[in-house]
Amino acid sequence: MGKVTGFQEYNRELPVKTPVAERVKNYNEFVGLYSDEKLNQQSARCMNCGIPFCHSGCPLGNVIPEFNDAVYRKNWDEAYQILSSTNNFPEFTGRICPAPCESACVLGINKPPVAIEEIEKHIIEIAYSKNMVKPVAPLIKTGKKVAVIGSGPAGLAAAAQLSKAGHSVTVYERDDRPGGLLRYGIPDFKLEKWVIDRRIQIMEEDGIEFKCNAEVGKNVAADEVVRNHHAVVLAGGSTIPRNLPIPGRELKGIYFAMDFLKQQNKRVSSIAVEGEEIFATDKDVVVIGGGDTGSDCVGTSNRQGARSVRQFEVMVQPPEQRTAHMPWPTYPMVLKTTSSHEEGVERSWGINTKEFLGDAEGNLRALKVTDVSWEIDVMGRPIKFNEVEGSEREIPCQRVFLAMGFVNPQFEGTLEQLGVELDERKNVKAKEGVYRTNVSKVFAAGDMRRGQSLVVWAISEGREAARKVDEFLMGHSNLESKDAVNQFDQVFY
Ligand SMILES: Cc1cc2nc3c(=O)[nH]c(=O)nc-3n(C[C@H](O)[C@H](O)[C@H](O)COP(=O)(O)OP(=O)(O)OC[C@H]3O[C@@H](n4cnc5c(N)ncnc54)[C@H](O)[C@@H]3O)c2cc1C
Ligand code: SF4
């Protein structure tokens, strides 16, 4: 434990953000770094609890009190070793993780929790600046070849771990650059793309081969990939967006969030945009869907100079504090105000969109909406909504971004051609902890298996699936598993 009285002496502080008026002028990240003194103080707030619940809050099982202690002692090598023993990509999670660990922090019971996510980001950025982040693949190769299909966080984590185990890894990616939603979903103002490129370069130095513009099941035959490798990991994500098939859906001006976001990420990286260009400039925008994707549409619309931005959510407004139904240390479904919300948006809950209304040229001109009230079950969960009588009205707008989540992975192509079995939600059927599909030597990880989730879960799934692949190929595996969180004690103490 860094400082016994740290949690009493110091308050939680986050690095300073660039003011809204400045940051909306560009797509750069805008969260600063701590001074040395501030970083030291924030790490000193960790109490090194007898039972550190933050471990179990983190889907990777990050060994948080130990790295906080190393940060306090300014032992960067130790902090980096601890962090990278459970997380291949702290530079991603340190920027965009919703930090369920912080919801489980013991200090969070009666004070603001330790700023774990920021500390994580500082450890990895210091490690990069001190040239500690190096290729890790062993010199002895197993002679086994593994294909990873999809280069999002799940595929990247699986590839990194399998390469570390000595296997030859090829990653197939249908987009022009690797990264999955890290690159073409999450905007640069949350995660600048040089952060991905820096990691990919190290993975390439590790010997991992990336084949981009390679869509397995389309321009690369799926059965050939399976035949030419000793094992295959499916990590293609959950890519089919939820639609809103109401009257007027065919009008011009209504887009899926990902079509909008992907284009803007390409523009920022000076990559040509194909097809119709989508802009929110000088438009009244309504984002339908209240999650992360919707929030990213808000931030992007403001940067493009939208006239007005609204965000509608059909669910009830979440409470600001934990309720009896979401006690510590569970991840609470409380009201989340993101940095994009801070930049300007009118948010409304309990709104049902009934119809898109158009002008004579077939352009969107308004939404027909009603307020709804929800029936709640004994656990406080909303189960059924009813329209509020007399609340129907028109909301003028010329752009709508549909951000209501993703329903399942794409079946046509790889999954169909290989005969991969799906579960009842149409995700790839492969049990957690096993990660094996019904097809011989084919495994699955990330959103494709789990359904739409988080980057931290994708990394966790990629790591765990890699361990199962390694066991399948070698009969045993020395790769770390989150089930062995305390393995670190054996290494360092
Ligand atoms: C706009 C948006 C913002 C988000 N923000 C956050 C956030 O702030 N924090 C957070 O934790 N999570 C966030 N998420 C969720 C997070 O990005 C995903 O949960 C995560 O990326 C899933 O990782 P994955 O590797 O399983 O899949 P993906 O990241 O979707 O990657 C799958 C990859 O597989 C490729 N692929 C698919 N099929 C094939 C094929 N046949 N051949 C070759 N390649 C193929 C795809 O092109 C893609 O690159 C966000 C999601 C979206 C859409
Ligand atoms: S990866 Fe996410 S949940 Fe895990 S320690 Fe980092 S911020 Fe917390």
Side-chain angles (χ1 to χ4, degrees), residues 57-60 62 64 67 87 93 97 99-101 116-117 120 456:
C58 172
L60 290 161
N62 274 356
I64 295 160
F67 69 57
N87 187 353
T93 48
C97 190
C101 56
I116 300 168
E117 184 186 5
E120 184 171 321
V456 64

Side-chain angles (χ1 to χ4, degrees), residues 60 62 80 83-97 120-121 124-125 128 133 136 151-161 179 182 191 195-196 198-203 206 208 210 455-456 458-460 462-463:
L60 290 161
N62 274 356
Y80 169 62
L83 180 55
S84 57
S85 72
T86 54
N87 187 353
N88 300 79
F89 312 123
E91 65 270 44
F92 306 153
T93 48
R95 285 172 164 81
I96 53 170
C97 190
E120 184 171 321
K121 174 174 153 188
I124 187 66
E125 291 306 327
Y128 270 112
V133 187
V136 291
S151 67
L156 292 179
Q161 290 295 94
L182 297 170
L191 175 70
V195 179
I196 308 171
R198 179 177 65 177
R199 177 57 73 172
I200 298 293
Q201 193 184 331
I202 289 175
M203 293 178 72
D206 245 333
I208 297 170
F210 287 90
V455 168
V456 64
I459 300 173
S460 170
R463 289 172 62 87

Side-chain angles (χ1 to χ4, degrees), residues 205-234:
E205 286 167 22
D206 245 333
I208 297 170
E209 188 185 0
F210 287 90
K211 290 192 174 175
C212 290
N213 298 310
E215 180 161 2
V216 179
K218 201 169 174 189
N219 58 350
V220 180
D223 57 348
E224 221 168 89
V225 172
V226 174
R227 209 169 34 248
N228 292 338
H229 294 85
H230 295 97
V232 174
V233 180
L234 304 174

Side-chain angles (χ1 to χ4, degrees), residues 450-481:
R450 170 179 198 92
Q452 181 198 358
S453 186
L454 296 172
V455 168
V456 64
W457 269 113
I459 300 173
S460 170
E461 293 236 336
R463 289 172 62 87
E464 299 298 316
R467 187 179 157 89
K468 291 296 159 194
V469 172
D470 192 31
E471 280 174 11
F472 165 74
L473 295 174
M474 309 305 290
H476 72 284
S477 178
N478 291 328
L479 290 173
E480 308 90 346
S481 161

Side-chain angles (χ1 to χ4, degrees), residues 55 103 105 147 179 266 399 471 484:
H55 283 191
S103 304
C105 171
K266 285 198 161 192
R399 286 286 174 277
E471 280 174 11

Side-chain angles (χ1 to χ4, degrees), residues 1 27 39 51 85 91 137 205 288 291 311 410 424-425:
M1 176 178 190
Y27 291 86
L39 176 59
I51 299 176
S85 72
E91 65 270 44
E205 286 167 22
I288 302 183
Q311 189 176 17
Q410 180 184 315
E424 61 287 348
R425 291 162 57 211

